[in-house]
Amino acid sequence: MRTSTSTLRTTLTAIALATAALAAQAADSVHIDTQRLSQDVKVLSSDEFEGRGPNTPGETKTVNYLIEQFKLAGLQPGGDLVDGKRGWTQDVPLGRFEIQGPVDVTVSEGGTTKKFTQGNEIAIRAAMTGAKAVDFKNAPLVFVGYGVTAPERKWDDFKGQDLKGKLAVVLINDPDFETGKGDFGGKAMTYYGRWTYKYEEMARRGAVGTLIVHETAPASYGWATVKNSNTNVQYDIVRKNPLESHAPVEAWIQHDVAVDLFKHAGLDFDKLKKQAQTRAFKPVELKGVTMSAHYGVDAKVITSKNVLAIRPGSAHPDQVVIYSGHWDHLGVGEPDAKGDKIYNGAIDNGTGIAALLELGRAFAKAPAPKRSVVFLAVTAEEKGLLGSEYYANNPVYPLAKTVGVINMDALSPYGPARDFSISGSAKLDLLDELVAKAKQGGLRFSPDPKPEAGHFFRSDHFSFAKHGVPAVSFESGQDWVQGGVAAGKANEEQYVNNAYHQPADEWSASWPFTGMAHDLGILYALGRDLADSSVWPNWAKDSEFRAARDATAAERK
């Protein structure tokens, strides 16, 4: 009996070792095809797809293309249940808001009246309150510094200021952005520095609206990006009480325009900006300066789609590893200097979706993982991470049993780099595992080179992080094998200035995709290890997301 048991154990051990070796071999020998990556980006960012705007013919083409490619790969549908069977999509109901007719905005300054032009002096988003029009006259302007209330930092920019019936003028980023030191993490942006927080806080305080002063460095992008992102159709998840999240006016104004407004109120913008970087700052009214506005808003509810494919797990199919990326871009909008109106979104995020498809093909060809692997292409990221937020609030697969999320957004289509990064500076086990896997692949980890840009809050992994799911958003490295850091940074700067959220973000036949192919081999190996293991990564003990993850620990036993 002992001999039989010993023999059985030996046999089982041999089988286990063989299975592990097979899985390791699959990870090591994964083939990422650069030509397929290029072709997917070329198709998805072609003019035919009209910039992949949600609720447009471009969405229909995109969703159909993704489903077709996932089917060809041999993956199974992983979306909503339809008649007891999984479909390929998850319905995402969204509020759709579009300004109708002319935008009439005037500013009164000591008896004189100026007219602001939409997209020039000001960039106003369509109101997401459900109202059919925005109409107010002579609303006072109040400067509220960085617009932050942070009790845990003993910081309050409002000091009891009543904003009802008023417009709040606010600075972008955190109070310590310029000095690089202080209560908000130095150069690294906190959520208080994000424009979404500014809008939310003013809505909570009952303001007529928010005017964010644009400055390129603290915003991390130029006016063209602000204009293109805010003057087109806006979307939001459907909310029971939208006024709790959105004031009627959500807008940006040009820096020089703001300086002029302060001057007419007898105020020194730069002096007040420095005061706003201190805890002692108090709100200041721009006396003698008021704003009036009138424009119509078309508000309706539409249904967009997340697309999901799955490679079912062989042992623990209810436990899932998710690869994600957003399929949407800005659609058709204001023409650029060349008259091009299609915002093709080749890099942002044709590259991430091409990566998702190629990883799906790799997993479909390899032996089945123990845990399921889900490939999630989300909608409406460009409208505020809405597709991923909807999924995180209405998960197809329980978040408690979601091992981790590996997000891909705006990857480099160029040659290989010696390093990689992630969006933001979060600390979590998933990053440690990625760093170790990348080291095996010859890549070193470089911390987010621009933590002040708040990238952690600008990609879809954030929607999962808020619910405690370990999540990272992979970023291509800047230390290029050909040209080093200088070449990588120069390329990044050129892209941000000339193509990001502009019609110029178009596919190029010169892109080799060799760097992305190498990086995807590492991301495949990371996901494969997670899918074949029994580990549950977590956030660092001092992370703000740790408590939410720990609260679901019992569901993972």
Side-chain angles (χ1 to χ4, degrees):
M1 190 70 176
R2 285 179 182 175
T3 304
S4 299
T5 302
S6 176
T7 303
L8 180 61
R9 284 175 180 166
T10 302
T11 303
L12 289 174
T13 300
I15 292 172
L17 289 172
T19 303
L22 194 63
Q25 184 180 8
D28 292 338
S29 63
V30 63
H31 175 63
I32 305 296
D33 193 316
T34 57
Q35 291 184 335
R36 278 200 304 252
L37 290 172
S38 182
Q39 178 64 17
D40 285 335
V41 174
K42 181 180 180 181
V43 171
L44 289 164
S45 63
S46 65
D47 283 357
E48 182 185 352
F49 281 63
E50 299 177 7
R52 304 191 305 279
N55 192 43
T56 68
E59 165 164 1
T60 302
K61 290 187 174 85
T62 303
V63 169
N64 289 343
Y65 182 78
L66 295 180
I67 293 172
E68 177 189 20
Q69 294 303 313
F70 282 138
K71 281 181 178 178
L72 289 172
L75 296 168
Q76 294 183 22
D80 287 337
L81 287 170
V82 181
D83 296 329
K85 294 183 178 180
R86 293 277 177 207
W88 286 102
T89 61
Q90 177 188 37
D91 283 350
V92 181
L94 297 173
R96 180 191 184 279
F97 309 94
E98 183 177 14
I99 290 177
Q100 295 289 294
V103 177
D104 183 11
V105 178
T106 56
V107 173
S108 296
E109 305 170 330
T112 63
T113 300
K114 285 184 180 178
K115 192 175 184 67
F116 281 2
T117 302
Q118 170 78 315
N120 289 346
E121 295 86 1
I122 195 167
I124 301 180
R125 307 207 308 171
M128 289 183 272
T129 61
K132 296 296 184 182
V134 172
D135 191 2
F136 62 91
K137 291 185 179 180
N138 300 322
L141 273 60
V142 181
F143 177 56
V144 294
Y146 287 87
V148 172
T149 176
E152 77 285 357
R153 290 170 166 87
K154 297 179 181 176
W155 194 282
D156 177 22
D157 281 334
F158 298 95
K159 308 294 195 300
Q161 172 72 50
D162 184 3
L163 290 179
K164 291 181 176 64
K166 300 171 184 176
L167 288 162
V169 181
V170 63
L171 300 168
I172 191 63
N173 215 304
D174 291 318
D176 53 7
F177 166 76
E178 292 193 354
T179 62
K181 57 184 179 180
D183 297 287
F184 293 85
K187 284 289 185 182
M189 185 192 286
T190 68
Y191 191 56
Y192 296 115
R194 186 80 173 120
W195 57 264
T196 49
Y197 168 79
K198 317 286 185 182
Y199 288 156
E200 291 163 1
E201 186 61 33
M202 304 316 146
R204 284 190 285 266
R205 292 175 177 273
V208 170
T210 311
L211 303 176
I212 299 175
V213 180
H214 173 261
E215 294 183 88
T216 298
S220 82
Y221 36 73
W223 182 255
T225 299
V226 171
K227 171 186 173 182
N228 295 337
S229 301
N230 289 277
T231 59
N232 56 3
V233 178
Q234 300 297 311
Y235 293 86
D236 192 21
I237 60 171
V238 177
R239 302 180 189 271
K240 290 182 179 179
N241 300 300
L243 279 168
E244 293 179 357
S245 302
H246 297 286
V249 176
E250 296 176 330
W252 293 67
I253 58 172
Q254 291 262 29
H255 169 265
D256 292 348
V257 172
V259 171
D260 187 63
L261 291 176
F262 277 63
K263 184 178 179 180
H264 278 85
L267 302 171
D268 185 321
F269 176 85
D270 291 329
K271 184 178 179 180
L272 284 172
K273 182 180 176 183
K274 285 199 177 300
Q275 290 180 18
Q277 294 164 9
T278 69
R279 190 176 269 104
F281 169 81
K282 293 181 180 179
V284 179
E285 184 171 345
L286 278 66
K287 294 182 179 178
V289 179
T290 62
M291 180 177 286
S292 303
H294 176 77
Y295 47 92
V297 180
D298 178 43
K300 63 180 68 170
V301 175
I302 60 95
T303 300
S304 189
K305 304 279 187 183
N306 289 335
V307 183
L308 295 92
I310 188 170
R311 180 70 159 105
S314 59
H316 308 288
D318 60 327
Q319 301 174 15
V320 299
V321 176
I322 295 179
Y323 288 98
S324 65
H326 71 92
W327 61 254
D328 68 302
H329 198 55
L330 301 181
V332 178
E334 292 292 318
D336 63 7
K338 298 178 181 178
D340 189 352
K341 298 190 296 183
I342 298 178
Y343 290 68
N344 303 83
I347 288 178
D348 184 15
N349 185 32
T351 56
I353 292 301
L356 193 71
L357 293 173
E358 191 65 4
L359 286 169
R361 295 174 186 123
F363 271 93
K365 290 178 181 177
K370 293 180 180 178
R371 290 164 158 169
S372 297
V373 180
V374 172
F375 304 89
L376 171 63
V378 297
T379 183
E381 185 270 355
E382 301 290 6
K383 307 303 181 184
L385 314 182
L386 301 181
S388 57
E389 182 175 353
Y390 184 83
Y391 180 95
N393 288 325
N394 305 273
V396 177
Y397 306 95
L399 298 186
K401 291 193 174 182
T402 298
V403 182
V405 175
I406 302 167
N407 187 62
M408 297 164 292
D409 193 349
L411 304 180
S412 169
Y414 297 96
R418 300 182 182 93
D419 64 343
F420 78 96
S421 188
I422 63 166
S423 298
S425 53
K427 296 178 181 178
L428 68 165
D429 298 338
L430 189 58
L431 174 59
D432 295 340
E433 294 178 35
L434 173 56
V435 170
K437 190 60 64 177
K439 189 176 181 180
Q440 294 175 12
L443 291 186
R444 71 178 187 280
F445 172 62
S446 294
D448 186 344
K450 291 184 177 180
E452 68 274 16
H455 288 128
F456 186 84
F457 315 109
R458 291 165 58 178
S459 283
D460 288 302
H461 70 296
F462 180 54
S463 298
F464 293 92
K466 287 191 293 185
H467 291 265
V469 179
V472 295
S473 191
F474 184 87
E475 289 200 352
S476 307
Q478 287 195 335
D479 184 6
W480 287 10
V481 172
Q482 297 292 327
V485 175
K489 285 189 174 180
N491 178 266
E492 172 73 9
E493 184 176 333
Q494 186 276 334
Y495 173 72
V496 171
N497 291 338
N498 301 324
Y500 175 62
H501 281 202
Q502 299 175 57
D505 187 2
E506 297 182 305
W507 173 85
S508 171
S510 66
W511 290 343
F513 287 91
T514 48
M516 192 193 302
H518 177 262
D519 293 349
L520 291 182
I522 292 168
L523 294 185
Y524 173 87
L526 173 64
R528 184 82 208 191
D529 280 1
L530 291 171
D532 282 334
S533 76
S534 58
V535 301
W536 294 97
N538 206 336
W539 298 90
K541 289 184 179 179
D542 60 350
S543 169
E544 62 268 46
F545 309 118
R546 176 75 180 231
R549 187 61 165 177
D550 288 348
T552 63
E555 298 178 55
R556 291 186 288 278
K557 290 181 179 178

